[in-house]
Amino acid sequence: MSLAGLGWVAKSLTAAAELGLADHLDGSPMTAEELAKQTGTHPETLEALLRILSTIGVFGRDDAGVYRNTALSDQLRDGHPQSMRHYVMLSGGLYADTFSAVTHTLRTGESAFRHLHGTRIYEYLEQHPAEADLYDKAMADLARPVAAALADAYDFGAVRSVLDIGGNSGELLKGLLTAHPHLTGTCLDRPDVCARAAAELATSPRKHLAERLTYQPGDFLEAVPVDADLYTVKNVLHNWNREHSVVILGRIREAMERAGAGRPVDERPRLLVIEPLVETDVDWIRVLFQMVVCEDGTRGRTDEVQRAQITEAGLEVLDTLRLSTGHTVHICAAAH
């Protein structure tokens, strides 16, 4: 019964994120009745939700029935530096709703998302602006800690320009450019994503980065049209099947060869393939997610599988890094 009810807990967490409960409790502990007045909710129902979440450490409750934020609920605040609010809303919303068709994937091996919506998730988002905006913000939640870890782990001393392929709103680049002021960055993604990201950056507290960060609309399955010293592709390949992953890596290799023409071998561009790989049994949760939500034929990748795809695309792995976020970074060059 407890395991079967975990879906209810996830939806409760999603509701807390949607209502902004943690933002309301930031510095202002309240009873459920007081918080209900602030959020326009039903006091008794809100009390039930808060009691559920407080038992797992999301929100704290004292003997007087006053609720306050904990380290976990703090991450549901918009302003928290490691906020996961939007990812929680995406995971408990569109992603969880897609899992209602997991049996289709189990019976056919095909994407449940395509079964439900008739298209891949990216085309779906182009037609649903509100969900696309949430997706952008959720991907920024996931990219923020990776950017901080990569900025410390990789030597950017000889790098001047970075191109992030499929970089969504550019959160990875924002972190790298902030940590390394000598860098410039370009984010390559779909036209609708680039338009939203550029508009958001222009009015954000980090709008000064617009001098060094640009957005390039494009289709990385067709071409990577920008030359750079360093190319990055983070949490992108696991959304695509093997065939498309190799195509994407091949397009990046073509750009690297173009940018490196005439340079000494040790000064030619590098590619960082940044992915969480299948390493433990727990990682199979993510594998099933990819089968259900991503395109047909998407599967989890072990280190061996990832290296094989990199090699098939005409690249060679020079070295690897392990980030504190659990990501493996394959440092690649175009094969000679």
Side-chain angles (χ1 to χ4, degrees):
M1 287 180 64
S2 296
L3 289 173
L6 288 178
W8 307 339
V9 176
K11 285 293 188 180
S12 296
L13 184 66
T14 303
E18 291 173 346
L19 291 168
L21 300 185
D23 284 305
H24 284 284
L25 290 175
D26 184 29
S28 303
M30 300 182 208
T31 64
E33 185 172 355
E34 292 168 333
L35 188 56
K37 290 178 182 178
Q38 293 284 324
T39 57
T41 53
H42 184 260
E44 290 180 316
T45 309
L46 182 61
E47 176 81 50
L49 181 139
L50 290 168
R51 293 292 284 262
I52 290 169
L53 295 179
S54 65
T55 63
I56 58 172
V58 182
F59 304 113
R61 181 182 186 276
D62 64 20
D63 292 339
V66 175
Y67 292 92
R68 54 180 44 79
N69 278 335
T70 62
L72 276 178
S73 62
D74 258 340
Q75 288 189 269
L76 293 180
R77 291 192 295 107
D78 267 336
H80 192 280
Q82 300 297 335
S83 176
M84 289 291 286
R85 182 189 176 206
H86 295 99
Y87 178 75
V88 165
M89 292 164 63
L90 176 67
S91 182
L94 182 62
Y95 285 174
D97 293 345
T98 302
F99 258 80
S100 67
V102 65
T103 306
H104 174 80
T105 301
L106 291 168
R107 286 176 173 153
T108 67
E110 298 171 352
S111 166
F113 194 95
R114 179 182 287 278
H115 173 68
L116 289 173
H117 301 290
T119 188
R120 293 183 303 200
I121 187 170
Y122 299 117
E123 288 81 6
Y124 172 87
L125 292 173
E126 288 177 356
Q127 301 302 317
H128 296 80
E131 292 190 79
D133 181 66
L134 174 61
Y135 183 89
D136 293 347
K137 290 181 170 64
M139 294 306 101
D141 287 351
L142 295 181
R144 205 172 293 118
V146 180
L150 183 63
D152 288 338
Y154 187 77
D155 183 2
F156 289 89
V159 178
R160 291 295 176 269
S161 58
V162 183
L163 173 63
D164 190 24
I165 295 94
N168 201 262
S169 61
E171 195 67 28
L172 180 72
L173 288 172
K174 291 173 187 177
L176 297 181
L177 269 56
T178 298
H180 300 285
H182 69 284
L183 295 177
T184 61
T186 303
C187 180
L188 175 69
D189 216 306
R190 303 188 317 277
D192 63 306
V193 175
C194 290
R196 288 193 301 272
E200 188 277 332
L201 180 60
T203 58
S204 77
R206 292 183 289 181
K207 60 184 177 182
H208 61 281
L209 289 177
E211 299 174 359
R212 296 188 288 131
L213 174 58
T214 57
Y215 294 91
Q216 175 66 50
D219 181 351
F220 50 53
L221 288 170
E222 298 296 327
V224 174
V226 179
D227 295 346
D229 297 327
L230 182 70
Y231 296 77
T232 57
V233 57
K234 181 195 71 66
N235 283 42
V236 170
L237 298 181
H238 68 223
N239 292 331
W240 299 85
N241 60 32
R242 182 187 182 92
E243 178 184 356
H244 280 142
S245 293
V246 173
V247 170
I248 294 166
L249 289 168
R251 296 292 179 253
I252 300 171
R253 175 187 50 76
E254 293 167 359
M256 293 168 68
E257 290 174 337
R258 183 178 65 241
R263 295 194 197 183
V265 173
D266 60 350
E267 295 180 10
R268 291 175 187 170
R270 299 289 184 257
L271 164 66
L272 306 184
V273 179
I274 309 165
E275 288 281 354
L277 300 178
V278 179
E279 298 173 317
T280 70
D281 287 346
V282 174
D283 294 326
W284 284 93
I285 297 172
R286 187 174 63 250
V287 174
L288 182 58
F289 160 80
Q290 290 158 0
M291 292 176 173
V292 169
V293 175
C294 302
E295 71 167 352
D296 289 345
T298 305
R299 301 292 183 265
R301 285 93 186 274
T302 61
D303 183 76
E304 180 182 7
V305 169
Q306 188 82 303
R307 286 173 180 268
Q309 293 180 4
I310 290 169
T311 300
E312 187 176 345
L315 296 155
E316 60 178 325
V317 177
L318 304 178
D319 201 358
T320 59
L321 292 174
R322 178 75 174 185
L323 301 184
S324 57
T325 54
H327 291 74
T328 296
V329 182
H330 289 97
I331 305 170
C332 307
H336 303 303

